[in-house]
Amino acid sequence: MAAKVIARRSRLHGLGLFAARDLEAGIRLIEYKGVRYPKGELPDLIDDGFTRFLRLSDGSGIDGTGWAALANHGCDPNCELAEEEGSEPPRAYLYTLRPVKQGEELTWDYRLDVASHSEAYSDYACACGTEVCRGTMADPEQFPPAADKAGRG
Ligand SMILES: [Zn+2]
């Protein structure tokens, strides 16, 4: 079967992942692979503008080095990163959330866990350009938009 994703330069940030062909919703694309860190031994990388680090439900983490780690953040994503049920240790995969056209960039909502509101909107600012862009890659529930930025709608 033909590859589902390709990597190339993104207008969002660095390299990105793109659909190599038309994809339906709910398709499993690729696994989020990298260096695994056990629970309680996660490196202190989050403070370093570091957005490839994935925390898993069991408290362990992956420093993403594979293709999945190339996927950029989007506030109106066409993909999601989800753990496979029952996998031990947890394995996370990128899935399409909706139909995606060939050549479209694949994004997912990072929902980063960051330390402060100002950090969320400076160090982890988002410029995805979508209608619903909230201005940060951080978790929107933890860091809602600042009042002076919530002008839309
Ligand atoms: Zn955005």
Side-chain angles (χ1 to χ4, degrees), residues 12-73:
L12 294 176
H13 179 258
L15 287 175
L17 272 195
F18 294 79
R21 56 180 170 84
D22 290 356
L23 300 166
E24 293 171 25
I27 302 269
R28 178 192 283 189
L29 299 175
I30 45 174
E31 183 174 2
Y32 201 94
K33 287 187 175 171
V35 181
R36 282 189 177 265
Y37 290 84
K39 182 179 181 177
E41 294 176 32
L42 304 190
D44 189 20
L45 297 167
I46 309 290
D47 294 334
D48 206 17
F50 192 85
T51 55
R52 303 189 315 251
F53 199 82
L54 183 69
R55 292 189 208 198
L56 298 163
S57 60
D58 69 345
S60 67
I62 298 175
D63 177 4
T65 57
W67 272 39
L70 293 174
N72 282 308
H73 162 89

Side-chain angles (χ1 to χ4, degrees), residues 4 32 42 50 63 65 74 77-78 89 92 111 121 128 131 133:
K4 295 173 194 162
Y32 201 94
L42 304 190
F50 192 85
D63 177 4
T65 57
N78 52 20
R111 290 178 180 268
Y121 288 90
C128 69
E131 287 273 309
C133 183

Side-chain angles (χ1 to χ4, degrees), residues 73-76 126-130 132-137:
H73 162 89
C75 296
D76 184 19
C126 178
C128 69
T130 59
V132 299
C133 183
R134 61 180 184 263
T136 176
M137 296 186 274

Side-chain angles (χ1 to χ4, degrees), residues 90-107:
R91 300 168 70 125
Y93 295 83
L94 201 62
Y95 294 85
T96 51
L97 279 171
R98 54 177 169 82
V100 178
K101 290 276 179 224
Q102 182 179 2
E104 233 183 284
E105 179 157 11
L106 302 170
T107 59

Side-chain angles (χ1 to χ4, degrees), residues 115-132:
S116 71
H117 197 283
S118 63
E119 189 176 280
Y121 288 90
S122 57
D123 296 354
Y124 301 99
C126 178
C128 69
T130 59
E131 287 273 309
V132 299

